[in-house]
Amino acid sequence: MEDTSREETVKAIARGLGFDDCRIAVAKEATHAEAFREWIGEGLHGDMAWMEKTPHRRCDPREVLPGCKSVICLALNYYPGRSSGAQGYRIARYAWNEDYHDLILAKLKAFDVELAKLGGTQRYYVDTGPVLERDFATDAGLGWNGKSTLQIHRRLGTWFFLAELLTTLDLTADSPFGDHCGKCTRCITACPTGAITAPHRVDARRCVSYLTIEHKEAIPEEFRIAMGDRIYGCDDCLDACPWNKFAEVSREARFHARESVFSHRLRDFLTLDDESFRALFAKSPIKRIKRPRFLRNVCVALGNTGTAEELPALETAANDSDPLISEHAIWAIQRVKTRLLEKA
Ligand code: B12
Ligand code: SF4
Ligand code: SF4
């Protein structure tokens, strides 16, 4: 009886802090720890070297928090709606406005204070911690890991962030919800670069999200055309998922499209210097990749979609002192010119 009321208290705290769902998993070795080790072993994480560090910790919360008994798994809906208002380019929806890390960490901090009052010691994370977040969310029945590897929630679809508190509180775990992908394979078909190489397996090195955000060097030529008009992240496997049909727009206005960004035409981004880049993307996750990587992505998209009107802006970018920008601008100019010749 006492345990039941503690779980209810935990879920009430989550609701009070604005989380859309909260479920509990047992703290143990992750169910798919072996799949994770294989994934790393095959180098599918590309140059995200931080993922190789301390795999024993990432696969078992008890290695992160001694005495950890439960993992409190949380979902926060970020769906900002269908259209950003952008003309001719796409940014992944999670990055349409403010960075979720700070926003969610503030909620987790308040959560921790409440759990300490119940006698718990916690570690809390969103995204960047050594936790296989989706594995524990599946165990807790928050949702299930779809073939795209995205965690799907029966009501929110795929448009939500995960966060969790590892706690020494011994809470009764919730039951898994089960896999509801059925025969569907839409995400695999929709992926522009063939990054979902098998159900439940993403080769990060092929994923547009990795190439445009995590990858620091030149974008391999084999993926540039497939990137199309995507300049930061990719939502194609999310857009394709039928479980998103009933997604509701997030209550959090700080996730809704930032007008000052999306009023830019694609070529306007090439005029940003370091200072105006930082100002435009203040508090946005895009700020993290800094101007050279962002302009690199813009050049590729302009190469794929641009017309003669874009050539002057690309010529200026081709003279940029940053080689990452100039190399991609030169590639884009060639591609636009080839297209113009083909049309002539
Ligand atoms: C590294 C990383 C990436 C990498 C690699 C992605 C990947 N699929 O592994 C890149 C940069 C490509 C990426 C992209 C994106 N990411 Co990311 N990413 C992460 C991060 C930091 C680690 C993921 C990880 O450990 N990958 C390693 C693989 C092996 O693990 P996994 O994919 O989680 O898979 C587990 C399960 O699938 C399970 N499993 C394996 N086989 C099987 C088989 C069956 C039958 C079952 C049931 C399960 C199962 O075992 C695996 C290991 O535990 C997490 C945060 C975190 N700490 O977990 C965010 C996270 C996964 N990303 C997130 C988001 C939003 C995205 C993007 C949508 C962003 C975008 N729009 O551009 C894309 C989606 C791409 C995709 N299809 O996954 C969210 C996902 C939320 C959700 N609802 O699922 C997370 C959870 C961040 C957060 N806190 O909200 N990401
Ligand atoms: S985010 Fe885009 S590129 Fe990456 S797996 Fe999904 S559809 Fe493929
Ligand atoms: S698109 Fe289909 S197969 Fe892919 S995650 Fe969604 S339901 Fe599962």
Side-chain angles (χ1 to χ4, degrees):
M1 200 57 205
E2 194 196 307
D3 275 355
T4 312
S5 66
R6 267 200 320 182
E7 284 84 45
E8 282 312 313
T9 306
V10 166
K11 289 174 186 189
I13 298 169
R15 273 195 301 278
L17 287 168
F19 287 104
D20 292 279
D21 205 356
C22 167
R23 310 231 338 160
I24 298 160
V26 177
K28 58 169 184 59
E29 187 179 40
T31 308
H32 294 94
E34 199 43 45
F36 172 73
R37 288 189 207 103
E38 276 173 24
W39 191 78
I40 293 286
E42 287 177 40
L44 303 188
H45 59 303
D47 53 21
M48 295 184 288
W50 46 271
M51 290 207 73
E52 295 165 21
K53 288 186 192 146
T54 62
H56 60 289
R57 274 161 64 83
R58 191 170 282 273
C59 290
D60 194 334
R62 295 168 304 182
E63 296 284 335
V64 178
L65 173 65
C68 181
K69 294 277 188 320
S70 315
V71 183
I72 301 172
C73 301
L74 300 156
L76 186 75
N77 174 15
Y78 67 84
Y79 187 56
R82 271 207 71 73
S83 170
S84 64
Q87 301 284 325
Y89 58 91
R90 279 183 278 172
I91 292 176
R93 285 184 176 78
Y94 88 85
W96 280 9
N97 202 334
E98 286 198 18
D99 194 324
Y100 64 101
H101 295 93
D102 299 341
L103 202 141
I104 295 179
L105 275 174
K107 292 180 192 287
L108 291 173
K109 197 173 173 192
F111 212 138
D112 177 40
V113 171
E114 293 306 314
L115 294 179
K117 288 182 196 160
L118 299 176
T121 300
Q122 284 69 235
R123 295 277 180 282
Y124 49 84
Y125 300 106
V126 48
D127 185 46
T128 55
V131 187
L132 288 173
E133 296 188 316
R134 303 198 268 204
D135 235 1
F136 287 96
T138 298
D139 282 354
L142 197 73
W144 72 97
N145 274 323
K147 289 176 189 159
S148 61
T149 75
L150 281 153
Q151 174 78 191
I152 304 173
H153 186 278
R154 71 210 85 162
R155 183 167 43 84
L156 306 172
T158 61
W159 307 110
F160 64 95
F161 298 121
L162 284 169
E164 55 286 316
L165 295 114
L166 317 183
T167 177
T168 54
L169 293 173
D170 195 358
L171 302 167
T172 305
D174 290 301
S175 308
F177 181 63
D179 186 316
H180 296 269
C181 280
K183 291 202 171 80
C184 175
T185 51
R186 286 194 209 177
C187 50
I188 299 175
T189 314
C191 178
T193 50
I196 310 172
T197 53
H200 310 287
R201 193 175 171 84
V202 166
D203 183 344
R205 298 165 305 178
R206 303 186 69 86
C207 176
V208 175
S209 184
Y210 167 84
L211 292 167
T212 55
I213 303 171
E214 302 296 334
H215 186 58
K216 295 183 178 67
E217 316 292 333
I219 295 183
E221 293 219 13
E222 64 169 310
F223 299 121
R224 290 188 191 176
I225 293 176
M227 259 175 63
D229 62 354
R230 301 168 194 82
I231 59 169
Y232 186 94
C234 170
D235 277 343
D236 286 29
C237 55
L238 297 89
D239 277 326
C241 186
W243 284 90
N244 279 330
K245 217 182 310 180
F246 306 108
E248 283 177 21
V249 172
S250 169
R251 291 180 302 241
E252 178 52 80
R254 284 173 289 178
F255 293 145
H256 297 176
R258 186 181 290 186
E259 216 261 322
S260 59
V261 169
F262 291 105
S263 57
H264 282 67
R265 291 166 304 185
L266 189 49
R267 67 169 180 264
D268 298 337
F269 291 124
L270 292 184
T271 64
L272 295 171
D273 59 15
D274 280 335
E275 205 184 324
S276 51
F277 173 83
R278 280 197 299 271
L280 184 63
F281 293 112
K283 289 190 176 179
S284 154
I286 296 175
K287 196 168 115 187
R288 185 168 70 85
I289 69 167
K290 302 202 173 84
R291 173 182 176 267
R293 261 191 273 171
F294 184 68
L295 264 58
R296 168 198 69 182
N297 300 344
V298 169
C299 286
V300 173
L302 280 171
N304 290 331
T305 64
T307 63
E309 277 186 66
E310 271 75 36
L311 286 174
L314 281 169
E315 304 280 2
T316 308
N319 290 316
D320 198 282
S321 58
D322 193 304
L324 193 64
I325 300 171
S326 56
E327 189 261 303
H328 288 78
I330 291 165
W331 177 87
I333 291 166
Q334 277 165 356
R335 198 160 142 66
V336 172
K337 285 188 174 164
T338 306
R339 217 171 25 251
L340 291 175
L341 279 174
E342 282 166 2
K343 273 192 193 154

